[in-house]
Amino acid sequence: MSSATDPVAVQPQVDGPVHGPYPPPPYFEPAQPDRVTRFVQRKWRESPIWVAPAAMLVCMAGAVGYTLATHPTEANAGAAPSCLLKYTTGFICPGCGGTRAAWYLLHGDIPAAARHHALFVFVVPFLLYMYVAWAGRRLFGWQLPQLNLSPGVIGGFIAVWGVWSVLRNLPWAPFTAFYV
């Protein structure tokens, strides 16, 4: 029996790409957004151009107001604001000390702020610049250079933050200096 007459050896002619023994993938239509997404997108398109920068500014003002109103440097253990992870386990979370660092930054004490959360102090100028550049371009057409952070830079920062968070919890010198 030759391979030409063997029914297994004869391959059918297929138009288009060959997908092996599997049938071709079905055609999928893009998913339609749900009602909430459509509502938010419609409101976004209809809103004035100043709404997003103003909303960000209100959020930042709320964070500053919260920090100033709670006096985080005078709070006792368990008093608001308190880190639930530190309160229950004794471990310092990656954000622990951020509110106190913000308090000290707002009062101009950069060394004390860096003592409580060095990475927060490092990042604040970049975040403020990114907001001003974005809002200035959006509202006034300013051409300030944008900070374009590549995924590698963001991943590197997250890795440094993770290592720093682990080092803050080590119970021997010199890492006890990071304890807040």
Side-chain angles (χ1 to χ4, degrees):
M1 185 169 185
S2 72
S3 64
T5 59
D6 185 8
V8 176
V10 176
Q11 297 293 323
Q13 295 294 330
V14 179
D15 292 336
V18 178
H19 299 283
Y22 305 106
Y27 173 74
F28 290 106
E29 295 206 17
Q32 297 298 320
D34 62 296
R35 288 175 43 182
V36 174
T37 303
R38 286 194 312 266
F39 173 77
V40 169
Q41 288 173 345
R42 186 177 72 244
K43 291 298 179 187
W44 175 261
R45 284 189 305 271
E46 295 171 356
S47 66
I49 199 164
W50 56 266
V51 169
M56 288 291 295
L57 197 59
V58 167
C59 289
M60 289 187 289
V64 167
Y66 172 80
T67 302
L68 292 174
T70 57
H71 300 280
T73 58
E74 299 170 4
N76 296 327
S82 183
C83 177
L84 186 59
L85 180 71
K86 185 175 180 182
Y87 186 64
T88 57
T89 66
F91 290 115
I92 302 172
C93 75
C96 221
T99 309
R100 286 170 281 171
W103 168 269
Y104 285 119
L105 277 179
L106 290 169
H107 288 87
D109 192 351
I110 295 174
R115 162 73 179 92
H116 285 278
H117 204 296
L119 291 176
F120 176 79
V121 174
F122 174 76
V123 159
V124 163
F126 294 105
L127 293 176
L128 289 174
Y129 178 80
M130 289 172 70
Y131 171 76
V132 168
W134 169 73
R137 178 170 288 181
R138 185 168 175 85
L139 295 175
F140 308 115
W142 295 348
Q143 296 301 318
L144 294 174
Q146 299 287 317
L147 291 179
N148 295 322
L149 303 176
S150 69
V153 169
I154 294 171
F157 178 76
I158 292 172
V160 167
W161 194 0
V163 168
W164 183 70
S165 297
V166 170
L167 294 178
R168 295 176 84 183
N169 285 295
L170 296 178
W172 55 84
F175 308 114
T176 53
F178 297 140
Y179 191 78
V180 290

